[in-house]
């Protein structure tokens, strides 16, 4: 009797524990969402990096990689983005990752046992984002490979295209299926089903990449596909066909719909928009020209078209069985008089509760993917000019990228990636305020930002020469300059780090990195005013104070031995 | 019973050992490099030449990735350099009146990636011939009717081409082909 009671208690306790755990579900971090919404991508990346997984076999490895990739790309942190892209590509290209998760899925539920690869639409968008990262670095051939994999994944889903090569013309595919008796509408037009769920940005990326790498036939084939599935992109198609461009502009806005558990025991996964869909065009202005482009991709819609619910039947069956066992067990326990039988009934109810708890749908999703994407091909002028983008009727979404210019002769087309902040005000400006590696020194005296100046270049001989030509840091060596940053505990990012860089100095962080031009991060860092830096080390604080006071002494001359930069701890 | 156990064991071992990705591996690329190097060493282009032949200066040209697999620029350059510089090729080139020429920065970078021979090449001059590498692939995805695709085959082709820098004529070309097959649902 006592043993039975103990067993029943264990089962009930376990079931309650599982209920508590299983019912919790995936909860995106609100602070990450808020930082992303206002365009503080470095801050969001720092928050994601705090509890990121580094084990490639971990269940959330891919989810963390995709978040860090999106934030690094938006922030213009090229090296970090490339590192995440490589790791994510490895996972996405691995098949059957969850092949052995069947028993675990039944016993413990999806979220507790399955490695996250994302819904098919998330994977396709992940491949596309990897392609953006490659294109941003001028590696259009790798961008083509990434876009091609997005397409291979997507074409796995429309039933009309099953069993056909990934590059098959859908019209021919339809004819072939009709000839085989598998399709009852042998028309040459695309069906509704075939046109839905297509990732237009991946198609455009592939077409541009094919054009840039000399695949003319492939470019034309993909352009035909774009014309078929996205007739409103005809201007882009014409421009690409004519080769009248030197930059591909990608503008992402908003956040993907959230994935929530609904229905009995949360066994059904549904999506709920975070950013509402609309058809507002994007206004683009540069070099005295202005035009608008339509929405190229609405992820709210895509998430409904390109999803996989293969485990939903299992979850629903578990939920139904669990419900029956729980209800039956509890009724039996209440109606039976025999103690042991009551306990057995309670144990059955406990098992039912476990089944219900583990029937919950996996609601993990990459909440940082955009809700929509706009695309445009631009012919930037050779002389630098500002590029302004804004969603029609939404002035707060305005992003101004300074110093946009045509690639130099012999260079491939460039990719400009804008992640629009969707809360707060306009981003960037037409003027470079801070010296940086891409645009060089700004007009006027040059002095590091940490000493009260406007230079955000990393320590280098060139930067030091400029400081000294401006009358500062005379007698300093490059090592002395580096020591200033060390004294401030600032990480100067020159190459790949063991972990993604966190917030930039100007965002109140401890990292100094060069943002890639043609990104929102570049505009935020170098074309927006930032509060003055507040030194934390005595050496830098006193040196900055002396420079500010203009004490008459050369700024580099130590006032006392403890100010000798380089000897400072 | 014993047959059943054996079959189960075999099935399980097949499950665990089936490749799950069709991505290039380092071994694939090294094998391609070795094979193409052997082919170049035996090529007609080099066969009729000796130390007194008009000197050729062979430079490293473009590497293009036309495959469905992302491949870093550095990896491609290393494979091309290794093909031209590895396993006694410098001695062979010397004997055939061919000098491999690299800009110093390229030589340093290649040496950093483990192509030590790059630091032994001569002073840089404008190449008379340029070696190029192209990586291509053909992808096929298969599935049972009505089910998500669960098999993928990528047939890769690594092509080495040497062209005359002035006339753009192809003086040597050969290719190495290999296939990678993976099982398991593509999206899962």
């Amino acid at each position: 009797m006592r043993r039975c009671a103990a067993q029943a208690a264990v089962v009930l306790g376990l079931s309650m524990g599982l209920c508590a755990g299983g019912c919790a579900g995936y909860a995106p971090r609100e602070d990450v969402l808020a930082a992303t919404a206002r365009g503080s991508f470095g801050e969001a990346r720092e928050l994601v990096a705090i509890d990121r997984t580094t084990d490639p076999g971990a269940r959330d490895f891919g989810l963390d990689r995709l978040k860090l990739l999106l934030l690094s790309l938006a922030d213009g942190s090229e090296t970090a983005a490339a590192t995440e892209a490589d790791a994510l590509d490895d996972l996405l290209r691995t098949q059957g990752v969850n092949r052995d998760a069947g028993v675990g899925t039944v016993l413990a539920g999806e979220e507790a046992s399955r490695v996250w690869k994302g819904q098919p639409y998330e994977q396709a968008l992940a491949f596309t984002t990897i392609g953006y990262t490659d294109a941003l670095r001028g590696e259009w051939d790798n961008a083509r490979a990434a876009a091609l994999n997005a397409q291979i994944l997507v074409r796995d889903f429309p039933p009309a295209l099953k069993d056909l090569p990934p590059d098959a013309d859908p019209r021919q595919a339809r004819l072939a299926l009709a000839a085989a008796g598998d399709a009852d509408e042998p028309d040459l037009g695309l069906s509704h089903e075939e046109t839905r769920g297509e990732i237009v940005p991946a198609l455009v990326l592939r077409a541009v990449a094919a054009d840039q790498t000399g695949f003319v036939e492939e470019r034309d084939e993909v352009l035909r596909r774009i014309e078929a599935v996205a007739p409103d992109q005809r201007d882009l198609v014409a421009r690409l066909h004519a080769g009248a461009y030197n930059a591909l502009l990608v503008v992402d806005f908003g956040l993907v719909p959230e994935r929530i558990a609904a229905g009995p025991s949360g066994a059904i996964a549904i999506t709920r928009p975070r950013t509402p869909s609309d058809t507002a065009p994007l206004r683009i202005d540069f070099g005295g020209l202005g035009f608008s482009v339509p929405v190229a991709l609405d992820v709210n819609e895509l998430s409904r078209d390109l999803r996989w619910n293969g485990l939903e039947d299992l979850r629903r069956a578990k939920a139904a069985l669990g419900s029956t066992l729980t209800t039956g067990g509890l009724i039996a326990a209440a109606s039976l008089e025999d103690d042991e039988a009551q306990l057995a009934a309670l144990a059955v109810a406990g098992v039912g509760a476990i089944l219900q708890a583990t029937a919950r749908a996996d609601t993990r999703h990459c909440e940082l993917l955009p809700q929509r994407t706009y695309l445009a091909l631009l012919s930037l002028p050779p002389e630098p000019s500002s590029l302004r983008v804004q969603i029609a009727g939404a002035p707060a979404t305005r992003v101004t990228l300074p110093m946009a210019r045509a690639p130099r002769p012999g260079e491939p087309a460039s990719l400009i990636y804008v992640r629009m902040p969707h809360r707060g005000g306009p981003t960037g400006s037409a003027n470079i305020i801070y010296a940086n590696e891409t645009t060089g020194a700004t007009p006027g005296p040059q002095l590091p930002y940490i000493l009260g100046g406007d230079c955000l270049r990393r320590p280098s001989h060139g930067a030091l020469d400029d400081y000294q030509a401006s009358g500062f840091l005379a007698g300093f060596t490059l090592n002395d300059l580096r020591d200033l940053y060390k004294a401030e505990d600032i990480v100067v990012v020159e190459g790949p780090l063991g972990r993604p860089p966190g917030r930039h100095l100007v965002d109140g962080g401890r990292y100094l990195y060069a943002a890639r031009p043609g990104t929102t991060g570049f505009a935020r860092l170098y074309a927006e005013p930032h509060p003055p830096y507040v030194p934390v080390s005595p050496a830098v604080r006193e040196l900055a104070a002396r420079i500010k006071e203009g004490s008459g002494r050369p700024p580099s001359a130590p006032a006392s031995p403890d100010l000798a930069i380089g000897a400072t701890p | 019973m014993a047959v059943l156990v054996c079959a189960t064991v075999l099935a399980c071992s097949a499950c665990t050992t089936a490749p799950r990705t069709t991505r290039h591996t380092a071994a694939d690329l090294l094998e391609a490099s070795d094979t193409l190097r052997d082919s170049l060493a035996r090529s007609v282009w080099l066969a009729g030449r000796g130390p007194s032949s008009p000197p050729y200066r062979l430079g490293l040209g473009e590497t293009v990735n036309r495959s469905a697999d992302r491949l870093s620029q550095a990896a491609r350059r290393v494979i091309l350099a290794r093909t031209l510089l590895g396993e006694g090729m410098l001695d062979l080139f010397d004997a055939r009146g061919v000098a491999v020429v690299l800009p110093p920065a390229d030589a340093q970078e290649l040496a950093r990636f483990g192509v030590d021979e790059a630091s032994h090449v001569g002073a840089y001059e404008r190449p008379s011939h340029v070696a190029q590498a192209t990586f291509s692939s053909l992808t096929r995805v298969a599935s049972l009717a009505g089910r998500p695709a669960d098999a993928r085959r990528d047939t890769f082709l690594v092509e080495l081409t040497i062209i005359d820098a002035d006339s753009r004529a192809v003086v040597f070309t050969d290719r190495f082909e290999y296939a990678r097959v993976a099982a398991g649902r593509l999206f899962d």
Side-chain angles (χ1 to χ4, degrees):
Chain A
M1 172 66 191
R2 197 170 289 165
R3 196 161 60 93
C4 286
Q7 285 171 347
V10 166
V11 171
L12 277 171
L14 189 59
S15 60
M16 286 170 69
L18 275 169
C19 280
C23 295
Y26 175 69
R29 287 183 60 154
E30 289 300 326
D31 49 0
V32 173
L33 290 174
T36 305
R38 61 173 184 271
S40 296
F41 304 118
E43 181 186 349
R45 185 178 56 216
E46 196 169 69
L47 291 167
V48 171
I50 289 171
D51 44 25
R52 81 197 195 288
T53 53
T54 53
D55 172 11
R59 285 181 294 112
D60 289 339
F61 180 79
L63 186 55
D64 288 347
R65 299 283 80 70
L66 180 53
K67 288 180 194 175
L68 291 170
L69 168 62
L70 287 161
L71 293 169
S72 299
L73 184 62
D75 199 35
S77 185
E78 175 189 343
T79 310
T83 305
E84 304 300 345
D86 289 345
L88 183 61
D89 190 36
D90 267 339
L91 175 69
L92 294 177
R93 286 292 313 279
T94 305
Q95 299 168 216
V97 169
N98 287 303
R99 187 162 60 186
D100 302 325
V103 175
T105 302
V106 173
L107 294 180
E110 283 174 52
E111 202 162 313
S113 59
R114 294 173 63 80
V115 171
W116 186 91
K117 275 186 81 178
Q119 285 286 308
Y121 76 88
E122 290 175 298
Q123 292 184 44
L125 291 174
F127 273 127
T128 310
T129 309
I130 290 169
Y132 295 155
T133 309
D134 291 330
L136 195 70
R137 295 153 63 87
E139 296 182 2
W140 283 101
D141 49 3
N142 283 334
R144 175 188 162 275
L148 182 58
N149 281 306
Q151 264 193 284
I152 288 171
L153 193 79
V154 168
R155 290 196 178 187
D156 176 23
F157 278 82
L161 296 180
K162 289 277 170 59
D163 297 333
L164 287 161
D167 290 327
D169 183 324
R171 293 162 199 246
Q172 289 176 6
R174 191 134 187 92
L175 274 181
L177 286 166
D182 288 334
D184 51 9
E185 289 178 279
D187 60 324
L188 286 175
L190 291 167
S191 72
H192 181 58
E193 191 174 51
E194 285 167 346
T195 58
R196 292 183 67 178
E198 191 63 271
I199 312 284
V200 174
L203 287 171
V204 170
L205 182 66
R206 186 175 164 203
V208 174
D211 191 47
Q212 290 295 310
T213 49
F215 278 82
V216 178
E217 284 181 18
E218 179 177 317
R219 178 201 67 188
D220 292 345
E221 180 191 321
V222 179
L223 287 180
R224 282 195 295 276
R225 177 76 181 154
I226 297 170
E227 280 176 321
V229 302
D232 56 354
Q233 296 293 324
R234 71 181 74 84
D235 289 347
L236 182 146
V237 169
R239 192 173 271 269
L240 182 48
H241 215 276
Y245 73 98
N246 54 26
L248 169 62
L249 171 67
V250 178
V251 178
D252 280 346
F253 172 77
L255 295 172
V256 281
E258 61 181 322
R259 186 171 158 85
I260 52 178
S265 304
I268 301 168
I270 60 170
T271 54
R272 187 167 59 194
R274 282 192 177 92
T275 306
S277 299
D278 65 52
T279 56
L282 181 78
R283 171 80 187 175
I284 303 169
D285 291 281
F286 71 95
L289 297 172
F291 58 98
S292 296
V293 295
V295 175
L297 178 71
D298 180 346
V299 181
N300 287 342
E301 191 178 300
L302 182 74
S303 67
R304 292 191 295 269
D305 292 343
L306 201 60
R307 60 182 172 162
W308 182 66
N309 279 334
L311 293 175
E312 192 170 294
D313 289 345
L314 170 69
R315 291 196 303 265
R316 292 170 79 150
K318 280 176 70 180
L321 180 61
S323 173
T324 305
L325 291 178
T326 307
T327 311
L330 289 174
I331 291 171
S335 57
L336 290 170
E337 291 184 0
D338 179 78
D339 285 351
E340 287 194 10
Q342 270 186 337
L343 288 171
L346 281 175
V348 168
V351 170
I354 291 172
L355 282 174
Q356 283 181 289
T358 57
R360 188 182 172 83
D362 184 356
T363 53
R364 286 175 296 173
H365 62 283
C366 183
E367 65 274 15
L368 303 181
L369 283 165
Q371 178 268 323
R372 74 181 76 165
T373 300
Y374 297 94
L375 300 164
L377 287 171
L378 311 177
S379 284
L380 296 172
E383 62 281 359
S385 67
S386 62
L387 168 65
R388 198 172 65 197
V389 294
Q390 178 192 315
I391 293 177
T397 64
R398 190 171 69 228
V399 175
T400 308
L401 299 178
M403 304 289 278
R405 55 180 294 172
R408 292 182 177 83
E411 287 183 351
S414 52
L415 182 125
I416 299 171
Y417 179 79
V418 175
R419 180 70 191 247
M420 280 180 158
H422 53 280
R423 264 180 231 149
T427 305
S429 74
N431 302 313
I432 293 287
I433 300 171
Y434 296 93
N436 59 82
E437 270 86 354
T438 303
T439 57
T442 47
Q446 294 296 295
L447 185 66
Y449 175 70
I450 60 170
L451 292 174
D454 294 331
C455 182
L456 287 172
R457 283 178 289 178
R458 293 167 294 188
S460 67
H461 287 294
L464 181 59
D465 288 348
D466 285 347
Y467 305 149
Q468 291 175 340
S470 300
F472 302 118
L473 308 184
F476 265 57
T477 66
L478 182 55
N479 278 339
D480 294 334
L481 180 59
R482 288 188 175 128
D483 285 343
L484 290 178
Y485 290 91
K486 278 185 196 162
E488 289 294 294
D489 198 21
I490 290 166
V491 179
V492 178
V493 182
E494 304 278 2
L497 288 173
R499 55 178 291 138
R503 274 176 296 166
H504 195 279
L505 274 183
V506 298
D507 275 338
R510 312 306 306 167
Y511 291 85
L512 177 63
Y513 53 84
R516 180 85 187 184
T519 60
T520 312
F522 185 86
R524 282 193 64 248
L525 290 186
Y526 307 129
E528 282 185 1
H530 301 291
Y533 180 77
V534 180
V536 293
S537 69
V540 174
R541 192 164 50 235
E542 289 177 35
L543 182 57
R546 276 194 291 126
I547 290 171
K548 189 175 181 183
E549 288 163 7
S551 62
R553 284 194 308 271
S556 60
S560 59
D562 65 317
L563 273 178
I565 309 300
T568 316
Chain B
M1 182 63 184
V3 173
L4 183 64
V5 170
C6 284
T8 308
V9 169
L10 280 174
C12 288
S13 63
C15 286
T16 52
T17 55
R20 294 192 177 189
T21 182
T22 59
R23 295 204 68 185
H24 287 287
T25 65
D28 293 332
L29 296 171
L30 293 177
E31 189 183 356
S33 170
D34 290 346
T35 307
L36 292 171
R37 185 193 309 126
D38 289 347
S39 171
L40 177 60
R42 294 192 310 270
S43 68
V44 175
W45 182 59
L46 290 177
R49 293 180 54 82
S52 56
S53 300
Y56 285 167
R57 294 177 304 279
L58 179 60
L60 264 63
E62 269 194 322
T63 59
V64 180
N65 179 18
R66 294 182 168 184
S67 76
D69 199 3
R70 294 167 67 247
L71 196 55
S72 75
Q73 299 265 21
R76 288 182 250 161
R77 295 280 291 176
V78 166
I79 290 301
L80 179 58
R82 193 180 172 280
T83 306
L84 299 182
L85 300 172
E87 294 287 326
M89 281 302 277
L90 282 180
D91 292 340
L92 177 69
F93 281 146
D94 268 350
R96 301 281 194 258
V98 178
V100 177
V101 290
L102 291 171
D106 283 12
Q108 280 174 13
E109 190 178 359
L110 287 168
R112 197 161 57 83
F113 280 108
V115 187
D116 296 331
E117 295 84 354
S119 50
H120 301 138
V121 301
Y124 182 71
E125 287 181 72
R126 182 183 173 276
S128 61
H129 294 77
V130 176
Q132 300 172 334
T134 306
F135 302 80
S136 312
S137 72
L138 186 66
T139 303
R140 286 290 178 263
V141 174
S143 64
L144 291 173
R147 303 185 64 180
D150 58 2
R152 173 170 169 160
R153 178 190 173 94
D154 282 88
T155 307
F156 292 101
L157 205 63
V158 183
E159 190 169 8
L160 173 67
T161 305
I162 297 177
I163 60 168
D164 185 308
D166 293 324
S167 68
R168 313 301 292 172
V170 174
V171 297
F172 170 84
T173 185
D174 198 6
R175 56 182 58 176
F176 178 77
E177 184 181 317
Y178 57 94
R180 303 263 298 154
V181 179
R185 282 197 295 228
L186 266 66
F187 75 93
D188 192 29

